[in-house]
Amino acid sequence: MSNNARGAICVLGTGLIGGSLLRAAVASGYEAFGFNRSQSGVDAAAADGFDVSSDLVAVLRRAATTDALIVIAVPMPAVDAMLTKIAELAPDCDITDVVSIKGPILEAVRAHGLSARFVGGHPMAGTSQSGWAATDSELFDGAVWAVGVDPDTNAASWERVVRLAIDCGSVVVPVVAEEHDQAVARISHLPHVLAEVLASSGATGGALALGLAAGSFRDGTRVAGTAPDLVRAICEPNATALADVLDETIDALIAARTTLRENGDLGAVVETGYAGRTAFENRVQREITDVTPGKPGWLDDLRRAGQAGGVIRSLDN
């Protein structure tokens, strides 16, 4: 058991998100340590004074000894291998993750017999950079952090994950896995795809087009600067939901092209886009109060509150 009152945090994967979480947890007073596959990442973290090792077995044994909250912060293709080792070496630890999809993670956790103390998580924060060098203890300040309220979620494990998110500076949105994946297909994964297409279109215009490019092109293509392998790891596991949203988007673009060719105007796309952006700018994060993990119906109550735009800023109301 950790001697730290806040408990121990074990971060598996110290890239941008995992490494930033490690930094934020240490800054908030947690006993935090981690694993990274590459020795260069370990060395970079150690040079900055952080406790990171490339020995996964030793790290997970330490997690078991200290009753650490394990945070899975590796790309989706590496999750199964991590869960195999957790099941072998630290099966009684609370577990969360920061992967950008929740349904496949939850399925994998259940397949490994680890669902009793698992709570899905997804901080909606990041940059186009990657690796330890891009990590920032303030990355999550003011960010939204999705935390799972799926059926049979353990109340104590859930509270521990929520407290970590809040301590890292975030506000928490309670959400079930399927609804999370449908939502992020629209507001995270689709923007990645559109940014790639926009960047490709601009480059196809040659030196003149790129020479004239300014703010709208720069802002619209920002996430296209993310490493291609990372984009694939983020988006492709959510293929079904993303394909459905792409169908909607393609239909809207085809309608705009049709009215432009036939009437010389863009039709409804400009008005609906403006309305959508305005709704985003004017959104209200209603605080969810009187949160009592474990009370009858608490998971359904939180799910409905999250659907309505509610956020948790504190568990101490």
Side-chain angles (χ1 to χ4, degrees):
M1 178 72 70
S2 169
N3 292 323
N4 190 299
R6 290 182 180 272
I9 304 294
C10 172
V11 182
L12 304 181
T14 56
L16 171 63
I17 302 299
S20 295
L21 192 155
L22 182 66
R23 285 183 180 274
V26 169
S28 296
Y30 287 89
E31 174 193 340
F33 56 94
F35 160 82
N36 197 69
R37 180 175 58 85
S38 74
Q39 190 60 45
S40 61
V42 170
D43 293 343
D48 286 344
F50 290 88
D51 189 353
V52 178
S53 169
S54 60
D55 187 342
L56 179 59
V57 171
V59 168
L60 286 176
R61 284 177 175 162
R62 179 178 173 184
T65 300
T66 58
D67 190 29
L69 168 59
I70 296 175
V71 182
I72 299 171
V74 297
M76 186 64 203
V79 167
D80 191 72
M82 285 295 170
L83 290 173
T84 298
K85 284 297 185 181
I86 294 169
E88 175 188 349
L89 298 167
D92 296 324
C93 285
D94 289 325
I95 307 168
T96 188
D97 74 293
V98 292
V99 182
S100 64
I101 53 168
K102 299 276 69 76
I105 292 283
L106 186 56
E107 291 176 8
V109 167
R110 287 170 175 165
H112 284 82
L114 295 168
S115 60
R117 298 182 69 174
F118 172 77
V119 181
H122 181 201
M124 304 301 296
T127 71
S128 61
Q129 304 303 307
S130 60
W132 179 264
T135 60
D136 180 0
S137 65
E138 298 180 355
L139 182 67
F140 309 110
D141 285 0
V144 168
W145 196 309
V147 175
V149 287
D150 297 280
D152 301 321
T153 295
N154 178 275
S157 303
W158 181 87
E159 183 173 353
R160 194 174 181 187
V161 173
V162 169
R163 288 194 183 280
L164 174 63
I166 292 171
D167 287 343
C168 288
S170 295
V171 297
V172 168
V173 172
V175 64
V176 297
E178 181 181 1
E179 292 170 1
H180 167 278
D181 292 353
Q182 291 171 347
V184 296
R186 295 180 179 277
I187 54 82
S188 177
H189 303 161
L190 178 64
H192 272 286
V193 176
L194 295 180
E196 305 291 354
V197 174
L198 179 57
S200 177
S201 177
T204 300
L208 176 60
L210 294 178
L212 293 171
S216 58
F217 183 79
R218 180 190 63 245
D219 295 345
T221 60
R222 180 184 64 81
V223 294
T226 306
D229 287 348
L230 182 55
V231 174
R232 293 188 179 98
I234 291 170
C235 297
E236 290 173 356
N238 202 22
T240 299
L242 178 55
D244 289 343
V245 176
L246 278 169
D247 283 342
E248 290 182 17
T249 303
I250 290 167
D251 287 345
L253 290 172
I254 290 173
R257 182 187 64 186
T258 298
T259 59
L260 188 63
R261 284 181 170 167
E262 293 179 352
N263 307 319
D265 68 72
L266 288 169
V269 67
V270 175
E271 284 75 18
T272 56
Y274 179 80
R277 174 67 186 193
T278 301
F280 167 69
E281 291 177 343
N282 294 335
R283 71 196 188 284
V284 177
Q285 293 180 322
R286 298 176 178 84
E287 185 169 3
I288 303 169
T289 58
D290 191 26
V291 179
T292 309
K295 75 176 182 180
W298 72 286
L299 291 170
D300 287 336
D301 289 346
L302 286 175
R303 177 185 182 180
R304 286 190 291 271
Q307 290 171 331
V311 300
I312 300 169
R313 300 183 185 276
S314 172
L315 287 176
D316 302 319
N317 293 312

